[in-house]
């Protein structure tokens, strides 16, 4: 029997636990979560999109695991009778200058084996009558779901299968012992044979506690959302995205009809002043000090300061935020949107300022550390879990 200890109670940690209980039922699984509830951070603050896998380099972990993960997520939701919808989306070229990037995205989607169609302006309007498009890419397999509800169901299934679920349990230290690990927490010691780090916004810190020198550091980017006022929701049928800038992992401000019928707009991407900084008011001295002292952040800032200034300006100005939406749906104005919270993306940045653009998973002796798993990690969670479990030692 092998004892697995998983740090992190977001969708990835819970999916790994679920995979272990399914694939290795004789083994024990303990999940440690510092918050009082599941999916408290990245998972519980995202746009609820089941991504198809359009954007990712063919052959990368993101491309392969997202495409498979999309199907796995839809299948799980159907089996568990969780609300979800495969509604498809449009990626819109609002002007002719964006057409080369749209066509390159179409080629990448085809290479990834996805059901996509290039549309002209008239064809795009059949899906989204109020959209402004020179051309658009229709991605049929994109869907929507409440990932928080998925996590609550996973926790319920895990509890029923005998997994030990510990909330309000902060990891304070990790050390190897006799072929296993001893995890010190705010609620006492936990011993195990194998450690899996799915700590998201704090994944690099957990890795350092375990004696790992991570090849990248987490830099938090806050994404702020608005939503359409009820009487203007009719302007958006499904999901409308701009053509993204390939230099960045962010997809640009977009419009998403949520599973509850509301329509969210966003997110932007601004440097957060705390790893759990969901507003400008949230300031964590330790987090800021680490960022200021990190060479990778300064290198990133020098390379992309103009982009950063644009995002900060949009964060501080509802008018500018609305103008970004107006490029996609011209009828939308500042009066049509109201604030709707924010999320924080745990983006891994290398010391040279390079953004890690794929999932980053580091193995060590009887340990696996997931050091970069932002979007589309929620979509891909069941397949990332399968991938991780295949790396783990067993039959102790």
């Amino acid at each position: 029997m092998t004892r697995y200890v998983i740090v992190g109670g977001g969708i990835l940690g819970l999916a790994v636990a679920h995979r272990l209980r399914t694939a290795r039922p004789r083994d024990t699984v303990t999940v440690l979560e510092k918050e009082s509830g599941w999916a408290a951070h990245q998972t519980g603050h995202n746009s609820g999109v089941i991504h198809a896998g359009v954007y990712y380099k063919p052959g990368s972990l993101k491309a392969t695991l997202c495409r498979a993960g999309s199907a796995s997520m839809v299948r799980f939701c159907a089996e568990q009778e969780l609300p979800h919808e495969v509604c498809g989306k449009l990626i819109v070229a609002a002007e002719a200058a964006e057409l080369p990037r749209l066509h390159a995205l179409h080629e990448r989607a085809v290479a990834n084996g996805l059901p996509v169609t290039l549309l002209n302006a008239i064809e795009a309007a059949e899906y989204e009558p109020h959209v402004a498009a020179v051309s658009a890419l229709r991605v049929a397999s994109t869907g929507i779901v409440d990932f928080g509800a998925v996590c609550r169901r996973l926790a319920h299934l895990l509890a029923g299968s005998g997994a030990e679920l510990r909330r309000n349990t902060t990891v304070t230290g990790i050390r190897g012992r006799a072929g296993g690990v001893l995890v010190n927490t705010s609620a006492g010691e936990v011993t195990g044979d194998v450690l899996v780090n799915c700590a998201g916004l704090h994944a690099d810190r957990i890795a350092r506690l375990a004696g790992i020198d991570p090849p990248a550091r987490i830099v938090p980017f806050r994404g702020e959302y608005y939503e359409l006022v009820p009487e203007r929701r009719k302007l958006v049928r499904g999901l409308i995205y701009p053509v993204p800038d390939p230099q960045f992992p962010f997809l640009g401000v977009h419009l998403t009809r949520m599973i509850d019928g509301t329509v969210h707009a966003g997110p932007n991407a601004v440097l957060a002043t705390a790893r759990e900084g969901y507003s400008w008011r949230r300031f964590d001295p330790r987090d800021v000090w680490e960022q200021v002292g990190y060479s990778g952040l300064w290198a990133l800032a020098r390379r992309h300061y103009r982009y950063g200034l644009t995002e900060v300006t949009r964060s501080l100005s509802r008018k500018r935020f609305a103008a970004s939406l107006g490029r996609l749906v011209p009828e939308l104005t500042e009066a049509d949107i109201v604030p709707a919270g924010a999320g924080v993306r745990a983006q891994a940045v290398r010391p040279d300022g390079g953004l890690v653009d794929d999932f980053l998973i580091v193995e060590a002796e009887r340990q696996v550390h997931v050091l970069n798993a932002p979007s589309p990690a929620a979509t891909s969670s069941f397949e990332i879990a399968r991938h991780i479990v295949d790396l783990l030692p067993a039959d102790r």
Side-chain angles (χ1 to χ4, degrees):
M1 181 181 73
T2 302
R3 299 167 298 170
Y4 296 98
V5 179
I6 299 169
V7 181
I11 195 167
L12 189 51
L14 294 172
V16 170
H18 181 259
R19 180 65 185 171
L20 283 167
R21 293 302 300 143
T22 302
R24 304 180 184 182
R26 294 180 59 254
D27 299 332
T28 67
V29 175
T30 301
V31 180
L32 308 178
E33 167 54 49
K34 71 182 181 66
E35 305 293 354
S36 60
W38 308 111
H41 294 295
Q42 287 189 101
T43 306
H45 291 83
N46 68 26
S47 59
V49 176
I50 303 174
H51 289 285
V54 170
Y55 305 101
Y56 317 118
K57 182 179 178 180
S60 66
L61 281 177
K62 278 190 176 182
T64 56
L65 298 182
C66 184
R67 181 186 176 190
S70 176
S72 297
M73 182 59 63
V74 170
R75 185 164 55 250
F76 177 83
C77 291
E79 291 171 352
Q80 296 296 319
E81 299 183 345
L82 293 173
H84 67 288
E85 181 183 351
V86 180
C87 53
K89 77 174 179 182
L90 289 186
I91 302 173
V92 173
E95 55 189 60
E98 295 174 336
L99 289 175
R101 279 190 283 151
L102 184 69
H103 292 158
L105 204 58
H106 175 249
E107 292 175 4
R108 175 165 285 192
V110 170
N112 284 333
L114 300 175
V116 294
T117 308
L118 272 175
L119 308 175
N120 61 32
I122 295 173
E123 292 167 332
E126 293 177 4
Y127 290 99
E128 293 287 352
H130 301 277
V131 78
V134 174
S135 180
L137 187 65
R138 168 71 178 172
V139 186
S141 54
T142 300
I144 52 175
V145 72
D146 179 352
F147 285 118
V150 173
C151 286
R152 291 188 290 274
R153 182 59 53 85
L154 283 171
H156 174 77
L157 294 173
L158 285 166
S161 72
E164 186 174 1
L165 305 178
R166 298 192 182 186
R167 291 174 287 182
N168 300 302
T169 303
T170 301
V171 173
T172 57
I174 300 169
R175 64 179 186 271
R177 61 178 272 183
V181 290
L182 175 64
V183 182
N184 296 109
T185 81
S186 58
E189 294 182 343
V190 178
T191 58
D193 302 310
V194 180
L195 175 77
V196 184
N197 169 12
C198 298
L201 287 160
H202 302 279
D204 56 339
R205 289 175 173 169
I206 295 297
R208 287 196 292 272
L209 286 177
I212 304 299
D213 182 17
R217 183 175 295 183
I218 296 298
V219 174
F221 286 89
R222 183 173 64 254
E224 296 153 330
Y225 290 90
Y226 285 84
E227 67 175 286
L228 302 194
V229 295
E231 59 270 25
R232 301 295 273 173
R233 293 173 186 168
K234 62 185 178 181
L235 296 177
V236 180
R237 287 182 175 177
L239 287 73
I240 306 173
Y241 280 61
V243 181
D245 185 333
Q247 295 185 78
F248 303 101
F250 314 112
L251 300 182
V253 171
H254 48 269
L255 292 153
T256 304
R257 181 170 292 278
M258 309 290 279
I259 200 66
D260 63 0
T262 61
V263 177
H264 279 210
N268 58 0
V270 297
L271 186 66
T273 51
R275 293 205 182 194
E276 297 169 8
Y278 299 105
S279 74
W280 285 108
R281 294 185 299 276
R282 178 76 168 90
F283 181 90
D284 187 299
R286 177 193 177 189
D287 293 348
V288 172
W289 181 252
E290 283 189 357
Q291 291 177 42
V292 169
Y294 183 46
S295 62
L297 178 60
W298 290 105
L300 177 68
R302 284 192 297 271
R303 193 177 304 169
H304 300 300
Y305 71 92
R306 287 189 179 89
Y307 179 91
L309 288 174
T310 298
E311 293 296 299
V312 169
T313 301
R314 184 159 51 197
S315 170
L316 298 175
S317 170
R318 184 186 302 196
K319 182 177 180 179
R320 286 184 177 270
F321 201 107
S324 296
L325 300 175
R327 293 189 72 249
L328 303 173
V329 178
E331 293 171 63
L332 287 175
T333 69
E334 184 180 356
D336 299 325
I337 58 175
V338 293
V344 178
R345 177 190 179 101
Q347 176 62 52
V349 179
R350 295 189 176 91
D352 65 359
L355 297 170
V356 179
D357 62 358
D358 202 359
F359 299 139
L360 177 60
I361 300 172
V362 172
E363 298 177 70
E365 181 68 25
R366 309 195 73 79
Q367 300 177 21
V368 171
H369 298 267
V370 184
L371 298 179
N372 191 59
S375 179
T379 295
S380 313
S381 54
F382 291 124
E383 298 304 319
I384 298 174
R386 185 189 301 271
H387 177 78
I388 289 171
V389 169
D390 288 345
L391 299 175
L392 298 177
D395 300 325
R396 186 174 173 81

